[in-house]
Amino acid sequence: MSTTTPARAPHGGARTGRGPSRRRAATGLFTPRHLAAALPEAFRKLDPRSMARSPVMFVVWAGAVLSTVLTLGDPGDRFGWTISAWLWLTVLFANLAEAVAEGRGKAQADTLRRARTDTVARRLLDDGREEHVPGTGLRIGDLVVCEAGDVVPGDGDVVEGVASVDESAITGESAPVIRESGGDRSAVTGGTRVLTDRIVVRITTKPGETFIDRMIGLVEGADRQKTPNEIALNILLASLTIVFLLACATLPVFADHAGARLDMVVLVALLVCLIPTTIGALLPAIGIAGMDRLVQRNVLAVSGRAVEAAGDVSTLLLDKTGTITLGNRQAAEFVPVPGVTEAELADAAQLSSLADGTPEGRSVVVLAEERYGLRERPGGEPAGAEWVAFTAQTRMSGVDVGGRRIRKGAAGSVVAWVRERGGTVPADADRITEGVSAAGGTPLLVAVEDADGPRVLGVVHLKDVVKDGMPERFAELRRMGIRTVMVTGDNPLTARAIAEEAGVDDVLAEATPEDKLALIKREQAGGRLVAMTGDGTNDAPALAQADVGVAMNTGTSAAKEAGTMVDLDSDPTKLIEIIEIGKQLLITRGALTTFSLANDVAKYFAIIPALFAAVYPGLDKLNIMRLSSPDSAILSAVVFNALVIVALVPLSLKGVTYRPVSADRLLRRNLTVYGLGGLVAPFAGIKIIDLVVSALPGIG
């Protein structure tokens, strides 16, 4: 896999993907503005066809309808009207949670729609002529011409030319990027604007199926499919609902046998309180919010299944260049031969690098300045200096100035240059060079010819610099139980040195596309889920095979089609954040499910003793809250059942705070915080509401 850092246009900075993502993430989660915008949609979702998608909330909706119809027969029944009103509020609050989550995605979709403009495409004919056609009239395989100022009419690959492209409408980044034919940065997206030059694009998608179209559908939630875990949880909730429905259906029989009477409205309220309404109401919002958290970080997931799979990943494949390391070799130290000082070597190395515009050359200048206090010469170029440019043939560069000739380059080339001038190379130079190579670095030999003759001064140690914080992040992944594998085309010696410094668990050196695919299959055969990043056509097979394949937006169309996610910022390290988001989604769903089920247990002990204590005096011992009356008990439980949904909406949207801990510790935290909290909260909440309800005329 090639380096995935986006190419920069002139005067443009490389993207990091952090700025816009943070700006979007900083918006409020549950503000009055969001509520006002989502309220109409919440009422529209009261349609029974919409409610039927959630079995639990459909039962609540049916109960609200039934209680309303029954209360219509007795217009003076204040208790019945109050129960009916709070049942409708329960349904409305559940719809509101989903509507707020969807609303945040629709705001992003509106921005994307503004980027999707109706364009006129310049389609290239077989005879070389151009014809103007609507962008909607393009078909897969058509060639279109785009010049400075043109909007790209559809998704495709550059097959001719190179141009600077503004992708801010999609990524939020103002810095333009380079798109060119014949490489891994050939993909262009419909709706982006060409800033300079001329390119020919081969269309790869049908109208209405472009990248922006798919993004709009996904961020709105229209294309969100339920994940396997979500489907399984829905089945569990439906099963519990059926069990409690049957249990409530038998209660009138027991009540009649005991000489008591249970009103149908009371039975409906009791059923709603006992079924898992809390998690049933919040489950859609949790899933939508998980997708939204990815969008906030400029990541497009093909489906919710991909987000969930990210939370279960156990093996992570990361490219070395641009992901673990900065992507450019940097000068790390100056190692002089005996008889030469470090300052003398640094001065010569810096002088020979002043006109070197490569990242390696600039790093030599910076290192000499920072470590030895050597400043760049005024103007950057000493007077009378004659620069020797680097060529593939000589494999070295340098400068002739002030009666000195300085050369810097590959060890073999510099040694040959010294010997051609009658100089000798000390054995220490060979030893230092071999030591740098053995450590996985690249040695640059520095030599000078002056009044003392030609001689070697020492070695500049170039190395792939591991990004700041990477060892700590890999340690976090290890605590999460995730095995990290560095994939690189470097030789095993260099790869092993970088792997040890970065702290990855394993390394695949001299990797070919076939090697990556084979590694993924071996991991999956062992029952592990695998995630990887890629950007090139040669990465497409491995991206398709991986459980979570994150394609870079700068990559080819083949890579983006093969992956399950696309990173609009083309930041390979974001894969670590994606896994954290996936785990946060699973943790949030598990935590709120635990809280909801614990709630139901507590509500059972709050309501049943109050209802039957008069008939079965022994149950009064379980009425530990000493609720005022059966009517007050049931109404207090219904009110609490509705309010707890509203209270948990911000948590379902924001997500439970994720910490990289083991599964055992995570389970203990869930049981302690959300399990115990779910048991205690209803007792306290229902008692407080009971004190208020009991004072109301006609109810208490």
Side-chain angles (χ1 to χ4, degrees):
M1 185 169 65
S2 62
T3 303
T4 50
T5 303
R8 290 180 291 179
H11 309 295
R15 299 178 181 175
T16 63
R18 306 299 185 198
S21 300
R22 282 178 178 155
R23 286 195 294 273
R24 281 193 290 270
T27 57
L29 292 170
F30 201 40
T31 64
R33 179 174 57 85
H34 287 139
L35 288 176
L39 197 56
E41 182 64 24
F43 278 102
R44 281 192 289 268
K45 288 178 180 290
L46 292 175
D47 186 323
R49 291 169 297 182
S50 177
M51 297 302 304
R53 292 181 301 173
S54 172
V56 176
M57 296 315 299
F58 181 75
V59 170
V60 180
W61 176 87
V65 172
L66 179 59
S67 64
T68 303
V69 171
L70 292 173
T71 308
L72 285 173
D74 185 7
D77 183 6
R78 181 174 296 184
F79 174 79
W81 284 116
T82 307
I83 289 291
S84 299
W86 278 101
L87 291 181
W88 282 114
L89 285 174
T90 302
V91 178
L92 189 63
F93 290 158
N95 291 346
L96 192 62
E98 184 175 2
V100 169
E102 289 176 349
R104 297 167 68 198
K106 288 178 180 178
Q108 174 75 2
D110 290 340
T111 302
L112 293 172
R113 281 195 181 92
R114 289 193 290 271
R116 187 182 59 181
T117 57
D118 294 329
T119 59
V120 176
R122 298 161 55 187
R123 183 160 56 189
L124 196 61
L125 302 178
D126 293 338
D127 58 5
R129 293 185 297 110
E130 297 179 10
E131 66 171 347
H132 290 76
V133 298
T136 54
L138 294 174
R139 295 294 180 265
I140 294 177
D142 284 350
L143 296 178
V144 296
V145 176
C146 296
E147 293 182 331
D150 291 343
V151 174
V152 179
D155 295 356
D157 289 326
V158 178
V159 295
E160 179 184 318
V162 56
S164 173
V165 179
D166 176 14
E167 295 185 341
S168 59
I170 297 176
T171 64
E173 288 282 0
S174 58
V177 295
I178 299 298
R179 291 291 178 263
E180 57 188 338
S181 62
D184 291 344
R185 290 192 289 266
S186 62
V188 290
T189 305
T192 58
R193 186 177 297 275
V194 177
L195 299 178
T196 64
D197 303 297
R198 176 184 184 274
I199 53 176
V200 177
V201 178
R202 177 181 286 114
I203 300 299
T204 58
T205 58
K206 298 178 182 178
E209 297 180 5
T210 65
F211 195 61
I212 289 184
D213 290 316
R214 285 190 293 158
M215 286 180 68
I216 291 172
L218 288 167
V219 299
E220 280 186 324
D223 295 342
R224 193 185 80 87
Q225 297 178 345
K226 292 181 178 179
T227 64
N229 284 350
E230 193 174 349
I231 293 172
L233 184 55
N234 269 312
I235 293 173
L236 172 62
L237 298 181
S239 301
L240 290 174
T241 301
I242 293 173
V243 169
F244 282 115
L245 182 61
L246 295 175
C248 289
T250 63
L251 285 179
V253 178
F254 289 103
D256 289 342
H257 179 73
R261 180 180 176 275
L262 286 180
D263 187 81
M264 184 60 69
V265 173
V266 171
L267 282 176
V268 170
L270 178 62
L271 173 63
V272 170
C273 289
L274 296 184
I275 63 177
T277 51
T278 305
I279 186 61
L282 298 175
L283 197 55
I286 294 171
I288 295 171
M291 297 283 287
D292 185 61
R293 279 193 287 275
L294 280 180
V295 172
Q296 291 172 10
R297 289 163 176 80
N298 271 5
V299 177
L300 170 65
V302 173
S303 67
R305 184 187 299 265
V307 186
E308 191 170 273
D312 286 329
V313 162
S314 52
T315 301
L316 183 59
L317 270 61
L318 293 165
D319 186 44
K320 174 183 75 71
T321 305
T323 304
I324 295 174
T325 65
L326 293 175
N328 296 311
R329 295 172 300 174
Q330 304 286 307
E333 62 176 329
F334 299 109
V335 187
V337 298
V340 178
T341 65
E342 289 187 23
E344 183 181 357
L345 171 61
D347 180 70
Q350 186 192 57
L351 186 59
S352 66
S353 302
L354 290 179
D356 188 348
T358 65
E360 292 86 352
R362 291 196 299 269
S363 72
V364 172
V365 175
V366 171
L367 181 65
E369 177 182 341
E370 291 180 349
R371 187 166 297 183
Y372 302 102
L374 298 175
R375 298 287 177 179
E376 295 185 27
R377 277 68 176 175
E381 297 185 7
E386 296 183 10
W387 303 100
V388 179
F390 175 88
T391 66
Q393 291 74 29
T394 62
R395 298 176 62 205
M396 63 180 180
S397 60
V399 62
D400 297 341
V401 60
R404 291 196 302 167
R405 294 181 176 181
I406 303 173
R407 297 294 183 269
K408 176 194 70 181
S413 299
V414 174
V415 166
W417 181 82
V418 171
R419 287 175 176 167
E420 283 175 4
R421 281 156 178 73
T424 58
V425 179
D428 291 289
D430 292 334
R431 177 183 56 78
I432 295 171
T433 300
E434 292 173 359
V436 170
S437 299
T442 301
L444 290 182
L445 213 59
V446 179
V448 64
E449 183 179 17
D450 53 17
D452 296 327
R455 66 189 190 281
V456 172
L457 298 179
V459 173
V460 179
H461 180 180
L462 295 181
K463 61 181 294 188
D464 277 337
V465 178
V466 174
K467 292 181 178 179
D468 290 339
M470 292 305 293
E472 290 77 14
R473 301 199 76 174
F474 288 136
E476 285 186 10
L477 291 171
R478 198 170 296 110
R479 288 194 295 272
M480 292 157 50
I482 297 176
R483 175 172 169 263
T484 53
V485 181
M486 185 182 78
V487 180
T488 177
D490 288 345
N491 63 74
L493 191 64
T494 301
R496 197 157 42 244
I498 295 295
E500 290 177 358
E501 182 179 354
V504 297
D505 299 315
D506 204 351
V507 61
L508 178 65
E510 298 178 343
T512 64
E514 292 77 14
D515 294 334
K516 299 175 189 177
L517 188 60
L519 175 60
I520 293 173
K521 288 182 177 180
R522 285 198 304 272
E523 293 291 321
Q524 291 172 333
R528 291 178 286 272
L529 267 65
V530 181
M532 75 160 288
T533 59
D535 63 352
T537 301
N538 63 339
D539 293 319
L543 286 170
Q545 181 67 35
D547 300 283
V548 179
V550 182
M552 302 295 103
N553 190 41
T554 55
T556 62
S557 296
K560 290 194 282 189
E561 288 295 328
T564 56
M565 297 184 186
V566 177
D567 176 20
L568 303 181
D569 295 322
S570 300
D571 177 9
T573 60
K574 200 179 291 182
L575 182 55
I576 299 174
E577 294 181 47
I578 292 171
I579 290 177
E580 292 175 350
I581 292 171
K583 286 190 175 295
Q584 186 182 37
L585 171 65
L586 296 178
I587 292 170
T588 301
R589 186 186 298 154
L592 292 183
T593 300
T594 303
F595 185 90
S596 177
L597 296 180
N599 253 278
D600 296 334
V601 174
K603 284 182 287 186
Y604 178 86
F605 281 101
I607 299 170
I608 298 299
L611 285 178
F612 291 97
V615 180
Y616 300 103
L619 288 177
D620 191 57
K621 295 179 180 178
L622 297 178
N623 187 16
I624 58 177
M625 286 188 289
R626 297 300 164 189
L627 301 179
S628 303
S629 67
D631 284 356
S632 175
I634 194 73
L635 181 55
S636 299
V638 170
V639 173
F640 176 83
N641 196 57
L643 295 180
V644 76
I645 294 174
V646 179
L648 291 176
V649 168
L651 182 61
S652 67
L653 296 180
K654 182 180 179 181
V656 175
T657 302
Y658 168 74
R659 296 184 183 89
V661 296
S662 64
D664 291 341
R665 291 184 60 188
L666 183 61
L667 178 61
R668 286 196 298 271
R669 188 182 74 171
N670 264 7
L671 292 177
T672 302
V673 177
Y674 298 98
L676 186 59
L679 286 172
V680 173
F683 284 100
I686 291 174
K687 179 60 179 177
I688 294 172
I689 296 172
D690 174 72
L691 294 175
V692 177
V693 168
S694 61
L696 298 176
I699 297 178

